[in-house]
Amino acid sequence: MGSATKFTFGTDFREGGRRAAGEADIAAARAEGFAAGAEQGRREAEGQLNALVAQLARAAERLVAQEATHAAEVEARAAYVAIVAARALAGAALGERPLAGLEQALRECLAHARLAPHLVMRVNEGAVESAEALVKRLAQETGFAGRLVVLGEPDIAPGDGRIEWAEGGFVIERERLGQLVDQAVATAFPGFRPPVE
């Protein structure tokens, strides 16, 4: 058997050596603990920062969506107010000049049907006299030489009418026009329902 060696666990037991080795171990342990703590703190702070950024992003998305919804509602309400105002103005204009829309339509028709042998204008039966005067005046202005006929019909609303000639015709129906405007608004602003009057 060989000679036995004392097991000293690598510790220097001489005066001052033991203290220096212990302090070095403590300093190394402190440095290692500090580095590990700093790394753990950095990871936790990074995780909290990422969570906060994600939370802020979700809040910003909600705010943008709410603002877009609000802006769409404001636009829809503005369109509705404009339509209500336009209808009120149209009603007032129709009261003052019931054949104004037909006059413009008749001008267009006479320009396109200048050589037509005849032209028929159908209006509300209460507007026949006014329509005849209008047709006569516009025929003279445009040089229309064909035959002009004005017919009164009870089912045509005041201000509405039909203008017909051999190759075509023109219809003015305020109710139908109002429906088309309502459809256009509904298409432009889906989900918006005007307030009940």
Side-chain angles (χ1 to χ4, degrees):
M1 242 193 201
S3 67
T5 314
K6 289 184 175 179
F7 190 62
T8 59
F9 300 101
T11 303
D12 183 4
F13 290 106
R14 292 176 284 170
E15 183 73 32
R18 186 171 156 193
R19 183 182 302 152
E23 287 175 5
D25 289 342
I26 290 171
R30 278 187 186 151
E32 186 179 317
F34 180 77
E39 178 60 25
Q40 181 179 354
R42 186 193 63 76
R43 280 194 306 260
E44 287 176 7
E46 191 176 277
Q48 289 175 353
L49 180 63
N50 288 340
L52 182 60
V53 167
Q55 185 179 9
L56 287 173
R58 286 191 300 273
E61 287 173 1
R62 280 194 306 272
L63 287 174
V64 167
Q66 288 171 351
E67 182 58 30
T69 300
H70 178 68
E73 287 175 9
V74 168
E75 288 175 1
R77 289 184 189 282
Y80 176 72
V81 168
I83 289 168
V84 168
R87 285 184 177 151
L89 290 172
L94 185 61
E96 283 187 34
R97 295 189 62 216
L99 297 179
L102 284 170
E103 181 178 349
Q104 184 59 36
L106 185 58
R107 282 184 191 281
E108 290 291 322
C109 292
L110 289 174
H112 293 306
R114 185 179 309 268
L115 301 176
H118 70 279
L119 188 136
V120 177
M121 184 169 170
R122 298 175 191 275
V123 296
N124 178 275
E125 61 189 359
V128 171
E129 211 173 288
S130 311
E132 285 175 341
L134 173 67
V135 166
K136 185 177 180 180
R137 180 175 55 85
L138 290 180
Q140 288 174 350
E141 286 179 18
T142 61
F144 182 77
R147 184 169 158 241
L148 294 168
V149 178
V150 176
L151 301 173
E153 297 186 10
D155 63 328
I156 295 179
D160 290 354
R162 292 189 294 274
I163 304 168
E164 303 162 346
W165 64 96
E167 290 85 33
F170 197 90
V171 177
I172 293 182
E173 290 180 347
R174 287 179 301 118
E175 186 175 324
R176 177 68 182 133
L177 182 59
Q179 291 170 352
L180 292 173
V181 168
D182 289 343
Q183 288 174 359
V185 170
T187 300
F189 304 104
F192 175 74
R193 298 291 172 257
V196 178
E197 295 178 12

